[in-house]
Amino acid sequence: MKLANFKSLLWGLPVIVILSMLMYGCPSQQQLGANADAAQKVYVAPGEYDEFYGFMSGGYSGQLSVYGIPSGRHLYTIPVFSQEATNAYGYSEESKPMLNTTHGFVPWGDSHHPELSQTDGVPDGRWIFINENNTPRVARINLSTFTTDEIIEIPNSAGNHASSFVTPNTEYVSAATRFSIPMDDENLNNEDVPISEYSEHFKGTLSFIKVGDDGKMGIDFQILVPGFDYDLSHAGKGPSDGWSFFTSYNSEQAHTLLEVNASKNDKDFIAAVNWRKAAEYAAAGEGRMVEGEHYRNYVDHDTHTAKSELIEEVRVLDPRELEGLIYFLPTPKSPHGVDVDPSGQYIVAGGKLSTVIPVHSFEKMIQAIENEEFEGEIDGIPVLNYDAILHGEVENPGLGPLHTEFDDRGNAYTTAFISSEIVKWDLETTQVLDRIQTYYSPGHLMIPGGDSQKPWGKYLVALNKITKDRYLPTGPELFHSAQLIDISGEKMKLLLDFPTEGEPHYAQAIPADLVRPNQTQFYKLEENNHPDAVKGEDETRVERDGNEVHIYMSTIRTHFAPDNIEGVKVGDKVYFHITNLEQDWDIPHGFAVKGMNNSELLIMPGETRTIVWEPKKVGVIPFYCTDFCSALHQEMQGYIRVSPEGSDVEIAYGTGQ
Amino acid sequence: MKTKHRITMAIAALLLIALYFLPIWSISLEAPQYPEGIGLNIHIHTIEGKQPQDLQNINGLNHYIGMKKIEPDSIAELKYMPPIIAFLIVTGLVVAIWGNKKWVMTWLILFMLLAVAGLVDFYLWEYDYGHNLNPNAAIKVPGMTYQPPLIGSKALLNFNAVSLPHTGFFFALASMVLAGLVWWRERVEGKDEKNS
């Protein structure tokens, strides 16, 4: 009897073995992609180019990183909101104005959501915009030079998370305040009030930045909204063109321990903004101008120099006074991402605490507005009936759905943060079709063109927040991982993963053919109208002006002119104005001085850059080129003699005999 | 001379106008770090980079090995060439009007002599640039000179220099062929008329 029992137990053993093999087998699903087929799909042979440029925000690095897709090769990092000592962005006199704000010079910011400019709802490769959260700013980057051309500060905002999202013809870039703050009725100035009086005083703003044909940005209007936290946004397209959608959380208006107190309501809201109507109101002079000092910093291409312009006022529209500006779409539960599908009919929300993905129908939303199917009103903003606007709910979408992008075949792909997976579902039927594990905790995801009217729909990149065990470890800090997934077939397939710089929040990608032909290879010397430029070695010189010494220097392979300078004294303020005379691609010259309390310079061919040095010690100080430029790069050096304060050494300089 | 031959002769002379607009010779330099190529186009009145910045870059590269700067303004030949071509055009037209077979040949021989003289001069100029090196040059390779080939290609350190006639040259060649044709047809048709 006992033996028989034991025997029947033995029968169970193979089951346990198989089960344990399966369980061990699960993690190795990450190996499934590592086969020859996947390798072939991401292999870009030496000398060949990637199919797409991928732009990934640098997160807390404040920059924008450029990757090749599908290879995952890191191509470049564009400095945007943070100083970059490598090329003196934010250190040189020409670039310092880019980081001016009403808080003074702000040398760091966290970059979040890049978005490519669009024409007719399709990325066009002219510019890419990116927002900063901490000191609310939006930047425009020129894709012919991969440099930041303009940065505008957002007034009356306390954290700029819901940007930078563009309308289908780049008419506007939208932005919204993440943190509401107390604002006085008169001028929206931040007030000195008890934080406990949140619900009485705190307000938010949604901002619309007008973009000119030349890219010039200006805040056209802001819309005053209830004191919630505004999170993400996307513009409508096709039938919903003219509308923008912003998610909000904390409709509870909590001000402490938000993880509990802002997670109570069953539904928060998506704010549907009729921006076309708002633009008409603004053009007609509706609303009012309020104090709203903010900086617009831009590169003057004539002089290659950034300039700052202080704008003092901003137009504010109040939905309590102007009808039809905003409607609230109730959305479960603390929605994070809001994504509009390529047809422009569906508005998908990622309810991060929700167990379903709600999909709103734009058509039903318009009907509900016409039929006045309102559940209520908040601060003059009608709240639409949830059931009246709902297209459907995606059941069992994974835990913590955050963001959705789309392919060109009617499918949606949503990241599930908590269950670490990407879920593919059908937009019409809202049925889940496929799911794939990610490693680990994906935030945003990106499909080339996947938030536009033309998804290229071949690849998907998951931007994961946790990287442990994916690569050779690098101590406590690990760069976040991006995972490239093939979405061309029925089933999603993991092809490649690669570490990224900083913590990429969102990303965009565009076919390389739309960007590559427009590349600037060098700046034409004859078009360099920098006031301190030298056009040839015969123009180089050193001039003293009181305690300022201006050195007008040139660089060319493989020497500086002048390379011997005397007559500088301790206590002087020395300006090195250096022009790179090269007219050849990929020949920048560097410049560094021993002990300088600043960065190096990296000067592009045909460009002039200025850096300030205040010598504190007597002696002969070397300077040299830092960018290996030619066979005689090591010889590219010079000396500057520093004499004691008050000495009578005259200014002298020269190169050669 | 027959009218059609006078017209052809006039065309032969007028073809030379193209030399004021088109380069007559080109030197291309190929090197691994210049996958897009770099080079010079030689006109009768100037020397230009194939891209506007090429001349500066070639001068920059040449200074390592001690070659002189190519400065079109200081090259005497580029001043003489335009009037010489103008002289050929005018005399060619005069020959066409005058209509003398012998003078067609005289003009052609003069043209060819000038062309040969031009090529010889070009060779000497290349010789001077390639051999007359700055003794203080950074890179000195024993026995190495840097004269580009008159026609064809030649390896010069990391560069392969390719020297070939450019479009202007072929206009000049066409002009010679037409003049030669005029002289020959006149001769043949003249004999035919005598024989008949």
Side-chain angles (χ1 to χ4, degrees):
Chain A
M1 185 68 189
K2 271 191 176 173
L3 192 67
N5 269 350
F6 182 69
K7 273 186 177 168
S8 64
L9 269 177
L10 278 181
W11 277 109
L13 265 181
V15 177
I16 291 167
V17 169
I18 288 168
L19 266 179
S20 53
M21 277 175 77
L22 275 177
M23 285 168 79
Y24 276 105
C26 279
S28 75
Q29 190 178 346
Q30 62 191 280
Q31 306 300 330
L32 284 181
N35 56 37
D37 179 46
Q40 215 161 39
K41 280 184 170 159
V42 301
Y43 182 66
V44 177
E48 286 179 10
Y49 296 119
D50 277 285
E51 191 179 350
F52 294 96
Y53 279 102
F55 298 94
M56 300 194 190
S57 80
Y60 41 63
S61 82
Q63 317 297 40
L64 178 68
S65 310
V66 186
Y67 292 83
I69 291 174
S71 74
R73 294 189 286 208
H74 183 194
L75 305 177
Y76 192 62
T77 298
I78 305 167
V80 190
F81 298 114
S82 295
Q83 281 178 304
E84 181 80 52
T86 306
N87 60 7
Y89 178 82
Y91 292 96
S92 68
E93 295 302 299
E94 289 77 11
S95 62
K96 268 157 59 179
M98 287 308 278
L99 301 179
N100 280 346
T101 76
T102 52
H103 305 274
F105 181 79
V106 178
W108 169 86
D110 51 333
S111 60
H112 281 253
H113 309 113
E115 181 134 299
L116 290 154
S117 59
Q118 296 185 4
T119 303
D120 297 326
V122 181
D124 57 24
R126 287 182 295 167
W127 311 302
I128 188 161
F129 300 90
I130 191 163
N131 61 312
E132 190 220 339
N133 186 59
N134 186 49
T135 307
R137 294 184 267 189
V138 168
R140 178 174 54 82
I141 291 154
N142 186 335
L143 290 185
S144 68
T145 55
F146 283 60
T147 55
T148 304
D149 255 9
E150 189 169 344
I151 293 181
I152 193 164
E153 194 181 357
I154 315 287
N156 307 319
S157 175
N160 178 37
H161 195 261
S163 65
S164 44
F165 298 100
V166 306
T167 54
N169 282 299
T170 321
E171 297 97 334
Y172 286 99
V173 175
S174 62
T177 195
R178 172 171 166 196
F179 311 106
S180 285
I181 44 167
M183 293 197 267
D184 79 72
D185 290 336
E186 185 71 22
N187 272 314
L188 311 188
N189 285 330
N190 200 345
E191 287 180 298
D192 172 18
V193 297
I195 298 168
S196 59
E197 293 172 13
Y198 186 103
S199 60
E200 289 154 61
H201 298 288
F202 283 51
K203 290 255 171 227
T205 54
L206 311 180
S207 302
F208 283 79
I209 303 163
K210 184 111 192 98
V211 182
D213 288 339
D214 56 356
K216 183 182 171 182
M217 298 193 288
I219 295 169
D220 196 24
F221 56 87
Q222 296 189 304
I223 303 173
L224 208 54
V225 284
F228 307 155
D229 292 66
Y230 294 86
D231 206 358
L232 278 155
S233 169
H234 261 108
K237 55 195 77 148
S240 55
D241 186 14
W243 291 75
S244 274
F245 304 92
F246 296 80
T247 46
S248 67
Y249 59 95
N250 195 19
S251 56
E252 298 85 348
Q253 300 203 305
H255 52 79
T256 181
L257 198 63
L258 259 59
E259 67 167 284
V260 174
N261 294 327
S263 303
K264 288 181 173 162
N265 287 352
D266 188 42
K267 292 194 176 63
D268 292 285
F269 303 110
I270 289 172
V273 177
N274 189 338
W275 63 258
R276 193 155 274 148
K277 187 159 208 166
E280 282 165 18
Y281 279 137
E286 298 283 356
R288 61 202 168 93
M289 299 303 288
V290 301
E291 288 174 16
E293 282 197 345
H294 60 283
Y295 273 100
R296 181 177 89 89
N297 310 318
Y298 62 97
V299 174
D300 174 358
H301 290 288
D302 198 37
T303 59
H304 298 183
T305 302
K307 292 181 175 166
S308 281
E309 171 184 80
L310 182 67
I311 301 161
E312 310 213 334
E313 287 186 315
V314 65
R315 179 174 300 281
V316 170
L317 307 178
D318 191 335
R320 289 170 296 193
E321 292 157 10
L322 300 167
E323 218 174 290
L325 278 186
I326 307 191
Y327 299 89
F328 276 141
L329 318 181
T331 304
K333 188 185 170 177
S334 297
H336 185 57
V338 55
D339 301 284
V340 183
D341 84 302
S343 76
Q345 296 178 65
Y346 301 120
I347 302 134
V348 180
K352 57 186 186 268
L353 306 177
S354 168
T355 52
V356 295
I357 301 170
V359 182
H360 298 305
S361 153
F362 178 76
E363 197 184 331
K364 287 185 178 176
M365 180 192 102
I366 293 296
Q367 271 173 11
I369 291 169
E370 279 169 9
N371 301 337
E372 300 193 353
E373 290 177 80
F374 301 145
E375 285 182 357
E377 198 182 274
I378 298 171
D379 285 359
I381 298 169
V383 179
L384 299 173
N385 185 303
Y386 179 68
D387 295 323
I389 58 173
L390 193 71
H391 162 66
E393 289 177 339
V394 181
E395 303 284 345
N396 192 17
L399 295 174
L402 291 187
H403 300 282
T404 303
E405 294 242 323
F406 309 91
D407 66 15
D408 47 351
R409 305 183 305 279
N411 299 310
Y413 301 78
T414 302
T415 51
F417 181 83
I418 298 170
S419 54
S420 282
E421 60 186 329
I422 288 170
V423 178
K424 176 182 175 182
W425 49 277
D426 185 296
L427 265 164
E428 282 303 328
T429 65
T430 68
Q431 293 300 303
V432 170
L433 304 172
D434 188 23
R435 47 213 318 151
I436 188 170
Q437 286 289 303
T438 59
Y439 308 94
Y440 304 92
S441 300
H444 278 274
L445 76 172
M446 177 271 283
I447 293 170
D451 72 333
S452 75
Q453 282 179 271
K454 188 183 175 186
W456 281 278
K458 193 168 169 187
Y459 302 112
L460 181 156
V461 178
L463 302 164
N464 304 326
K465 301 298 185 191
I466 310 286
T467 314
K468 57 187 174 192
D469 93 355
R470 295 306 294 171
Y471 319 111
L472 284 178
T474 52
E477 197 203 351
L478 309 167
F479 274 178
H480 290 209
S481 90
Q483 290 190 300
L484 185 77
I485 293 164
D486 179 355
I487 56 166
S488 57
E490 289 288 303
K491 301 287 284 178
M492 293 182 274
K493 280 184 205 148
L494 178 61
L495 298 179
L496 175 74
D497 63 6
F498 52 96
T500 56
E501 221 176 353
E503 184 226 341
H505 287 262
Y506 186 43
Q508 291 262 286
I510 186 168
D513 293 345
L514 292 177
V515 173
R516 195 164 66 85
N518 308 324
Q519 295 308 291
T520 298
Q521 300 187 330
F522 56 87
Y523 299 100
K524 283 186 184 150
L525 204 55
E526 66 263 29
E527 290 170 10
N528 176 346
N529 289 321
H530 190 296
D532 300 318
V534 291
K535 300 294 179 75
E537 290 187 9
D538 50 336
E539 293 178 23
T540 60
R541 63 202 184 276
V542 180
E543 289 168 0
R544 176 176 284 285
D545 176 14
N547 75 330
E548 284 186 5
V549 176
H550 291 268
I551 300 170
Y552 302 89
M553 190 184 272
S554 69
T555 64
I556 196 156
R557 283 164 285 179
T558 310
H559 61 273
F560 293 99
D563 66 3
N564 275 207
I565 298 160
E566 301 190 4
V568 170
K569 297 169 207 171
V570 170
D572 280 346
K573 200 169 180 185
V574 180
Y575 288 80
F576 291 98
H577 307 287
I578 307 180
T579 303
N580 181 348
L581 298 177
E582 304 280 356
Q583 296 286 275
D584 202 351
W585 196 14
D586 199 25
I587 312 287
H589 289 295
F591 176 79
V593 181
K594 183 193 172 194
M596 181 153 68
N597 302 100
N598 208 335
S599 75
E600 69 154 345
L601 282 179
L602 197 63
I603 313 142
M604 297 305 123
E607 199 179 53
T608 303
R609 283 285 175 265
T610 302
I611 204 142
V612 177
W613 177 52
E614 294 177 59
K616 297 183 191 77
K617 291 181 187 173
V618 170
V620 174
I621 311 289
F623 56 83
Y624 63 99
C625 173
T626 54
D627 184 345
F628 207 109
C629 54
S630 78
L632 295 169
H633 161 73
Q634 288 301 92
E635 285 75 3
M636 190 166 173
Q637 64 176 50
Y639 289 108
I640 183 160
R641 175 181 165 195
V642 181
S643 304
E645 207 164 355
S647 79
D648 55 2
V649 178
E650 289 295 314
I651 291 282
Y653 55 92
T655 310
Q657 283 150 10
Chain B
M1 233 162 67
K2 290 191 172 166
T3 312
K4 66 175 180 184
H5 292 150
R6 287 166 189 262
I7 292 170
T8 311
M9 184 61 207
I11 290 169
L14 292 171
L15 274 178
L16 296 180
I17 293 173
L19 298 190
Y20 290 89
F21 304 100
L22 299 170
I24 51 171
W25 214 268
S26 92
I27 298 177
S28 306
L29 299 169
E30 298 160 358
Q33 65 270 45
Y34 284 96
E36 69 277 16
I38 183 168
L40 298 173
N41 284 335
I42 299 162
H43 296 252
I44 55 169
H45 62 286
T46 190
I47 296 176
E48 281 178 349
K50 286 187 184 288
Q51 296 292 324
Q53 71 280 4
D54 281 5
L55 185 59
Q56 177 186 335
N57 288 333
I58 288 169
N59 282 332
L61 295 167
N62 286 351
H63 100 276
Y64 290 121
I65 47 174
M67 286 174 81
K68 277 188 287 184
K69 259 192 175 176
I70 298 169
E71 285 171 304
D73 292 345
S74 65
I75 298 172
E77 286 85 341
L78 300 176
K79 294 195 175 64
Y80 307 145
M81 290 265 270
I84 289 172
I85 300 299
F87 169 78
L88 283 173
I89 293 170
V90 171
T91 50
L93 287 173
V94 169
V95 169
I97 294 163
W98 194 6
N100 184 311
K101 185 176 71 182
K102 279 179 190 157
W103 281 103
V104 171
M105 182 43 83
T106 311
W107 184 84
L108 183 58
I109 289 168
L110 179 67
F111 188 1
M112 286 162 86
L113 284 175
L114 283 168
V116 169
L119 284 175
V120 170
D121 183 72
F122 181 43
Y123 177 84
L124 292 174
W125 177 79
E126 284 188 336
Y127 185 91
D128 179 52
Y129 267 83
H131 287 79
N132 190 359
L133 303 173
N134 185 340
N136 295 322
I139 300 171
K140 277 186 277 193
V141 182
M144 186 74 194
T145 58
Y146 303 96
Q147 182 182 358
L150 185 63
I151 187 159
S153 70
K154 187 177 168 190
L156 300 170
L157 296 188
N158 58 325
F159 280 93
N160 186 40
V162 180
S163 178
L164 289 171
H166 211 296
T167 36
F169 174 87
F170 295 105
F171 273 86
L173 198 65
S175 173
M176 287 181 189
V177 170
L178 281 185
L181 210 63
V182 166
W183 177 81
W184 182 67
R185 288 307 304 171
E186 270 296 321
R187 198 165 153 237
V188 171
E189 288 170 25
K191 275 183 186 163
D192 288 350
E193 276 164 27
K194 266 185 197 168
N195 294 344
S196 60

